[in-house]
Amino acid sequence: MSHSPSDNPLLRIDLNQPFSDQKPGTSGLRKSSRQFQTPHYLESFIEAVLRVLPGVAGGTLVLGGDGRFGNKEAIGTIARMAAAHGVARLVTTQAGILSTPAASHLIRQRGAVGGIILSASHNPGGPEGDFGVKVNGANGGPAPESLTEAIYAATQVLDGYCISPAVAPGLDVIGTYDLGPMKLEVLDGVEDYVALMQQLFDFDRIAALLRSDFRVAFDAMHAVTGPYAIRVFEELLGAPAGTVRNGVPLQDFGGGHPDPNLTYAHELADLLLKGNAYDFGAACDGDGDRNMILGRSCFVNPSDSLAVLAANATLAPGYAGGLAGVARSMPTSAAADVVAKELGMACFETPTGWKFFGNLLDAGRITLCGEESFGTGSNHIREKDGLWAVLFWLQILAVRGCSVAEVMAGHWNRFGRHYYSRHDYEAIASQAAEGLYRRVRNQLPSLQGQLLAGRSIVTADDFSYVDPVDGSVSGGQGLRLLLEDGSRVVLRLSGTGTQGATLRVYLESYVAPGGDLNQDPQLALADLTSAIEGLAEIQVRTGMAKPTVIT
Ligand code: VG1
Ligand code: CO
């Protein structure tokens, strides 16, 4: 390894053959914890990252994770590898706890060459759960496809890796340590992030709301946002102790599934949707980049959440000057498009995955962006940001002085309503899922002009994206059936699952102001649901009578 300084003793470990399965998916490399415990497995992927990421030798790198099983040990290993690769300064956090948005902020603030985030996001953790490695670039955002492809190519030809024999320090005490010639800085992973939130939102105003009889329940799902949420809601904003539930990060997330949706965060959902003790509820996922927003008897679907933030953005000090534009991922409903049109700003449609927003944010073409999968964010960092979205909602409610349900009703009355649902069929046999998907894709040319649920299909294609900033093309991003009345059905195979395949079916139909805005979404979409069931033969081919998760 010629790029390691000669005064830096290192071990060179030879591999008999490279691992063949280290292809990053929608959001990094995600595998079972067991797989990651295979000797040299983590090290191989990290070696590829350290070889490919520009500026590693002599640069600063940020490292942390969501606290899941394997987090601390992996930090020790990666620190020793970073030292062997000539990293000048490695910035990590107490106990290795660092949310994905906080990592993005640290990378930017420190001028780091990138970051490594140890998380499988919303996938369960623990010895029987999943582990993951996300790689971010110097802008603080997920590695673009060009970088992940280069990392993957490097894993395919790897014959060994380098690691420092020095012992990595513990992560309990804040301070700066020497690890070989590298400086290893252990800091409080919460502080800088919270300071950024205080710049964007009016904490006094939100505190006044939380000290009134407005009751908030926040569910950290035993994942990374606990320490952040306790600092923000209970310590700084004065919400009563106990506002943050499941606030201690656990290695296995308490056996739960840290995915903030109506199925996996059902305890919180029941509190808000069935009880009346709370006015506002929110939850974040394993690594803190997603959010679910609930009001009393009111679930805010994430596509609508993005639209509401866009329509009300100027109520937050950080966005008082207005927005440059908005972007949403392709399967996300067009609710934000309608707001953008009405407010006269640009709106972009990108493939699924936050990495596709990076260029638009860096170029200043958009300020807000979001995905239907409970991800919302802005140009303050280059990741989606769960707590940021929660604070944004509280800011809007504090200024407008109304309930979540009133915000939604007002929004639909003005912009119309996009009835929307995602049906996930999880852990299907891979062959069955791929067969189903291939069959529909092959049918696409003949579907154009045909009827689906009584409406003509005006476009049937496999979504392909041309990045407006750098012109790069990303094809094969999801099968779209666009109908004459603006309704649509989209099919995708997940890139984040670790067991078999997950089929996602996205359903959407628009009702303009003046129409029936108060239907149950599943009923409003029932004709599309049964039409796509017939067309894609979902039940027969997956052997599943109904979806695993309906959002
Ligand atoms: C899912 C979501 C996608 C999100 C991705 C990463 O991907 O659908 O919108 O960007 O997870 O989220 P897929 O390929 O399973 O549909 V997370 O919170 O890793 O960071
Ligand atoms: Co996540």
Side-chain angles (χ1 to χ4, degrees):
M1 301 281 141
S2 54
H3 57 278
S4 301
S6 55
D7 61 344
N8 181 13
L10 51 82
L11 292 172
R12 148 98 211 195
I13 311 289
D14 292 316
L15 292 171
N16 294 332
Q17 65 182 60
F19 293 98
S20 58
D21 64 341
Q22 299 198 326
K23 191 168 181 63
T26 314
S27 184
L29 180 67
R30 230 172 257 200
K31 298 284 174 191
S32 65
S33 298
R34 265 182 215 291
Q35 175 71 291
F36 266 102
Q37 283 175 310
T38 309
H40 313 306
Y41 191 82
L42 170 72
E43 290 87 339
S44 293
F45 187 70
I46 297 300
E47 176 73 21
V49 171
L50 293 173
R51 284 192 194 182
V52 167
L53 190 69
V56 162
T60 296
L61 199 63
V62 169
L63 173 64
D66 64 10
R68 72 177 63 220
F69 175 77
N71 191 48
K72 279 193 202 171
E73 294 71 16
I75 289 177
T77 302
I78 296 170
R80 291 168 55 211
M81 292 185 69
H85 283 265
V87 168
R89 178 174 283 265
L90 185 69
V91 180
T92 187
T93 58
Q94 258 184 317
I97 291 287
L98 185 63
S99 76
T100 291
S104 182
H105 178 51
L106 260 187
I107 294 167
R108 297 165 65 76
Q109 196 189 35
R110 294 306 192 91
V113 298
I116 296 174
I117 303 167
L118 304 171
S119 174
S121 191
H122 53 286
N123 295 29
E128 306 304 323
D130 291 337
F131 192 77
V133 181
K134 298 190 186 195
V135 180
N136 286 32
N139 72 347
E145 278 197 331
S146 54
L147 188 57
T148 56
E149 272 157 27
I151 292 169
Y152 179 58
T155 66
Q156 296 304 288
V157 295
L158 210 64
D159 56 356
Y161 61 89
C162 287
I163 184 163
S164 163
V167 177
L171 300 173
D172 298 330
V173 183
I174 289 175
T176 300
Y177 306 86
D178 291 320
L179 182 63
M182 182 178 82
K183 294 288 177 205
L184 188 146
E185 191 179 333
V186 178
L187 46 76
D188 173 351
V190 175
E191 211 166 290
D192 297 298
Y193 173 81
V194 170
L196 176 64
M197 294 302 111
Q198 287 174 305
Q199 286 167 27
L200 298 174
F201 303 110
D202 183 344
F203 270 47
D204 291 339
R205 191 120 193 206
I206 299 173
L209 176 71
L210 299 194
R211 290 203 186 95
S212 69
D213 60 0
F214 184 90
R215 294 285 313 274
V216 172
F218 178 87
D219 193 343
M221 304 190 85
H222 285 304
V224 80
T225 45
Y228 296 83
I230 291 171
R231 183 86 55 91
V232 168
F233 298 122
E234 298 185 9
E235 294 174 10
L236 290 170
L237 293 169
T243 296
V244 176
R245 293 156 181 264
N246 304 319
V248 178
L250 299 177
Q251 289 206 339
D252 64 350
F253 308 122
H257 198 138
D259 202 351
N261 60 39
L262 295 174
T263 302
Y264 296 124
H266 58 88
E267 283 171 21
L268 181 79
D270 286 349
L271 277 185
L272 272 294
L273 303 181
K274 294 186 181 157
N276 57 10
Y278 292 93
D279 303 287
F280 183 84
C284 289
D285 75 332
D287 61 330
D289 55 359
R290 301 181 184 210
N291 71 91
M292 176 169 71
I293 303 291
L294 297 158
R296 189 183 295 189
S297 307
C298 177
F299 163 71
V300 179
N301 96 46
S303 301
D304 278 347
S305 181
L306 173 65
V308 166
L309 298 191
N312 294 275
T314 54
L315 302 181
Y319 307 90
L323 306 176
V326 294
R328 62 164 172 88
S329 67
M330 180 273 281
T332 304
S333 95
D337 304 36
V338 177
V339 173
K341 194 168 177 211
E342 183 110 354
L343 301 185
M345 61 186 165
C347 182
F348 299 87
E349 182 179 39
T350 61
T352 293
W354 209 259
K355 59 188 169 216
F356 293 104
F357 295 130
N359 278 346
L360 293 167
L361 289 164
D362 286 346
R365 310 234 338 227
I366 59 168
T367 310
L368 296 190
C369 44
E371 295 189 277
E372 46 61 44
S373 53
F374 299 88
T376 353
S378 89
N379 61 353
H380 68 294
I381 52 171
R382 294 294 179 273
E383 285 278 4
K384 50 191 182 277
D385 190 344
L387 277 180
W388 167 90
V390 176
L391 284 166
F392 212 144
W393 265 92
L394 289 172
Q395 173 83 64
I396 292 168
L397 297 173
V399 174
R400 291 186 45 181
C402 61
S403 70
V404 175
E406 286 163 349
V407 169
M408 290 320 307
H411 189 88
W412 294 331
N413 278 329
R414 177 169 174 201
F415 299 104
R417 178 170 181 183
H418 291 78
Y419 285 102
Y420 187 83
S421 187
R422 184 175 105 181
H423 294 187
D424 295 329
Y425 297 82
E426 295 179 350
I428 316 168
S430 297
Q431 276 199 341
E434 278 152 26
L436 181 159
Y437 198 76
R438 208 177 315 116
R439 179 174 158 275
V440 177
R441 191 172 54 211
N442 292 340
Q443 279 184 323
L444 289 174
S446 65
L447 289 175
Q448 204 112 0
Q450 301 282 312
L451 293 182
L452 189 75
R455 285 157 271 180
S456 172
I457 300 173
V458 291
T459 304
D461 68 1
D462 190 351
F463 183 59
S464 179
Y465 177 65
V466 181
D467 187 301
V469 179
D470 67 15
S472 60
V473 178
S474 304
Q477 298 292 331
L479 312 182
R480 305 192 296 176
L481 302 175
L482 311 184
L483 311 186
E484 57 184 336
D485 65 346
S487 306
R488 25 170 230 166
V489 180
V490 172
L491 300 185
R492 264 188 78 245
L493 292 178
S494 156
T496 59
T498 55
Q499 286 161 14
T502 293
L503 172 71
R504 304 201 196 284
V505 180
Y506 309 82
L507 306 144
E508 173 178 347
S509 97
Y510 177 65
V511 173
D516 186 354
L517 301 173
N518 292 305
Q519 303 171 58
D520 174 324
Q522 298 309 324
L523 293 179
L525 296 163
D527 55 346
L528 288 178
T529 305
S530 59
I532 191 63
E533 160 56 39
L535 188 133
E537 300 177 354
I538 298 172
Q539 289 190 18
V540 188
R541 289 171 178 271
T542 64
M544 294 166 80
K546 59 181 176 50
T548 322
V549 177
I550 294 182
T551 301

